[in-house]
Amino acid sequence: MKVLALIWESFLFSVDALKTNLTRTVLSLLGVTVGIFAIIAVFTLVDSLENNIKSSFDFLGTNVINVGRFPFTDDGRDYPWWKYFRRPPGSLEEYEFLQERLKSAEAITISVSAGTTVKAGSSAYEGTQITGVLETYPEVFDVPLETGRFFTDSEVKAARNVAIIGQEIATTLFPNSPAVGKEMKIRGMKFTVVGVFEKEGEGLFEISSKDQTALIPFGAFSKMYYVGGRRGVEPTIAAKGSEDDIGLVELENEMAGLLRAKRGLKPKEENNFALNKTEFVQNAIGSVFDVISAAGWVIGGFSILVGGFGIANIMFVSVRERTNIIGIQKSLGAKNYFILFQFLFEAVCLSLIGGLTGIVLVYFLSFMQLGSLELVLSFKNIVLGLGVSSIIGIVSGIVPATLAARLDPVEAIRA
């Protein structure tokens, strides 16, 4: 208890020293403030931008493998798109084949999309993405509805003309009344609205926003568009893997084997399809932002380094000014750690105040609206800022504090 009381007294001494030299205190913490502001501002911007971009790819699903002709990536060589273009597209028959035999998937579905204009009375909405789906679609992809319901199995199997629409479509076509239960036209055919998506807001990629999307049964889509073949609209098969299948390795291998068997590929023939994991897109985005984060450390690191040197310089001056007081304290029986903690606490407090000021500036910066990008100061970045500030304070103050603690009391009093 005595040791803790002495440490607390050392802290009070350091606070009193900061109050006594207020102007010097403010000037010395500016370097740390600028450094922490630079680092946390960059990290906040990077995190917000990364989350915004990743959310724009939510339409690809989570833990999902998509079957297509074109892979998301190639193995570092030139992308041979002409080879991929000649590959056969997926089909409803392949979906049914996989659905019957695939064992490592939690769910599997097929969907097909096209762009068109939807109408209701004298109102029209251009650029609508119409997607034909089966009853298994919600098992693979999220379908967040604000009002209404998803299609029933009988509606999908009977290819009924029912639709689920996005918020922008609903407000454009039916501005003064609820959309559920109303009729609209797609390529001249009447559809009854049975559900409305939750509002998703603007994203960096318009294709991902559910606000401009309309879901209809797969069979109803086939009435308006030719599905399959090289001249038709190409469907996409998607399978959702289990959480236990790390990296979806088991699901990928099983799907590859079944598709090769369905397409009659010989053992030495290469795959004429691509199995695209949604995690690849997120990992690619993450690697890009890791580089940007490293750049943020470099940018803010120089400012923090300057701030650290400033605090160290101030601490050396403070030790010189208070040498006589240190001698008196030691002659009265003050321990070395009592003296050391005085100056170490002073350096850490200086650095923490500068760090907190930088974090507060970033917090006010987060209220700025940068288009559709929403800046969010995360708890992780707050802890990071305070942690870096504390480390800078300790590193900057440890040498001056150690020199002060080792002063000879007689020589110190004479000084």
Side-chain angles (χ1 to χ4, degrees):
M1 293 297 294
K2 183 178 179 181
V3 173
L4 293 176
L6 289 174
I7 292 175
W8 175 250
E9 190 174 347
S10 297
F11 175 74
L12 295 179
F13 266 105
S14 65
V15 172
D16 185 63
L18 292 175
K19 290 180 180 179
T20 303
N21 302 285
L22 193 59
T23 303
R24 188 172 70 187
T25 299
V26 173
L27 292 175
S28 60
L29 60 83
L30 285 178
V32 177
T33 299
V34 173
I36 295 298
F37 172 79
I39 288 179
I40 303 304
V42 170
F43 283 176
T44 299
L45 181 61
V46 167
D47 290 347
S48 300
L49 188 59
E50 183 177 1
N51 292 333
N52 192 300
I53 292 177
K54 285 184 176 180
S55 65
S56 296
F57 285 95
D58 284 346
F59 68 97
L60 294 175
T62 303
N63 215 33
V64 171
I65 292 181
N66 294 278
V67 180
R69 289 188 292 169
F70 297 88
F72 286 164
T73 183
D74 200 50
D75 54 4
R77 301 170 298 178
D78 293 334
Y79 194 81
W81 60 268
W82 57 89
K83 181 178 71 174
Y84 302 142
F85 183 77
R86 292 196 297 266
R87 290 175 170 180
S91 64
L92 187 60
E93 290 75 17
E94 288 181 344
Y95 159 73
E96 293 171 347
F97 180 83
L98 291 174
Q99 187 183 37
E100 291 176 1
R101 294 165 176 81
L102 201 58
K103 297 179 180 179
S104 56
E106 288 189 352
I108 184 170
T109 191
I110 185 171
S111 60
V112 59
S113 300
T116 188
T117 299
V118 296
K119 299 178 181 180
S122 59
S123 301
Y125 189 90
E126 297 180 355
T128 303
Q129 180 180 325
I130 302 294
T131 302
V133 301
L134 296 180
E135 66 276 6
T136 55
Y137 187 81
E139 299 174 11
V140 179
F141 301 100
D142 291 333
V143 186
L145 298 180
E146 182 175 283
T147 57
R149 58 174 176 81
F150 192 73
F151 312 130
T152 63
D153 291 354
S154 60
E155 287 174 336
V156 175
K157 291 175 182 177
R160 301 271 176 82
N161 288 1
V162 288
I164 299 171
I165 61 177
Q167 284 283 348
E168 285 192 20
I169 301 173
T171 54
T172 301
L173 300 185
F174 315 105
N176 301 317
S177 61
V180 176
K182 299 294 193 305
E183 286 189 347
M184 66 178 189
K185 286 186 177 182
I186 304 175
R187 295 175 68 92
M189 297 180 65
K190 290 184 179 180
F191 282 78
T192 302
V193 178
V194 297
V196 178
F197 285 115
E198 291 180 358
K199 186 173 180 59
E200 191 171 74
E202 295 182 3
L204 297 182
F205 302 92
E206 293 183 2
I207 189 174
S208 67
S209 179
K210 291 184 174 64
D211 296 341
Q212 300 96 27
T213 299
L215 299 185
I216 61 175
F218 194 94
F221 187 96
S222 301
K223 296 176 186 176
M224 299 180 290
Y225 296 91
Y226 176 67
V227 178
R230 296 191 179 277
R231 296 184 180 181
V233 184
E234 183 176 343
T236 300
I237 301 171
K240 187 177 183 66
S242 64
E243 297 295 334
D244 299 331
D245 188 6
I246 306 300
L248 300 179
V249 176
E250 184 180 352
L251 177 59
E252 183 180 18
N253 291 336
E254 187 181 6
M255 289 183 71
L258 289 173
L259 283 171
R260 287 182 64 87
K262 176 64 176 175
R263 297 190 177 190
L265 296 177
K266 296 178 181 179
K268 293 186 177 180
E269 287 184 291
E270 67 175 14
N271 294 338
N272 60 355
F273 53 85
L275 298 178
N276 295 314
K277 300 178 185 178
T278 55
E279 282 72 13
F280 169 77
V281 177
Q282 296 180 347
N283 293 338
I285 294 171
S287 62
V288 171
F289 283 102
D290 286 343
V291 176
I292 300 176
S293 298
W297 274 110
V298 173
I299 294 170
F302 285 109
S303 299
I304 285 186
L305 190 63
V306 173
F309 281 128
I311 290 177
N313 182 53
I314 292 299
M315 295 312 302
F316 279 117
V317 172
S318 183
V319 170
R320 181 177 293 276
E321 287 180 347
R322 290 152 56 187
T323 299
N324 185 264
I325 298 175
I326 293 171
I328 296 173
Q329 288 177 338
K330 297 195 76 172
S331 66
L332 294 175
K335 302 292 184 182
N336 285 349
Y337 68 82
F338 179 80
I339 306 298
L340 183 140
F341 278 127
Q342 283 185 42
F343 293 94
L344 195 59
F345 281 144
E346 187 174 342
V348 172
C349 285
L350 270 173
S351 187
L352 276 176
I353 293 171
L356 281 170
T357 306
I359 291 172
V360 170
L361 292 175
V362 176
Y363 174 74
F364 286 117
L365 181 69
S366 66
F367 288 102
M368 294 178 59
Q369 193 68 29
L370 302 177
S372 61
L373 180 63
E374 181 182 1
L375 295 178
V376 178
L377 176 60
S378 65
F379 179 74
K380 178 192 73 175
N381 285 335
I382 294 175
V383 173
L384 177 64
L386 295 178
V388 171
S389 301
S390 300
I391 292 172
I392 292 299
I394 293 173
V395 172
S396 302
I398 190 64
V399 174
T402 302
L403 292 176
R406 292 180 177 179
L407 285 174
D408 181 82
V410 176
E411 296 296 331
I413 290 174
R414 289 176 178 175

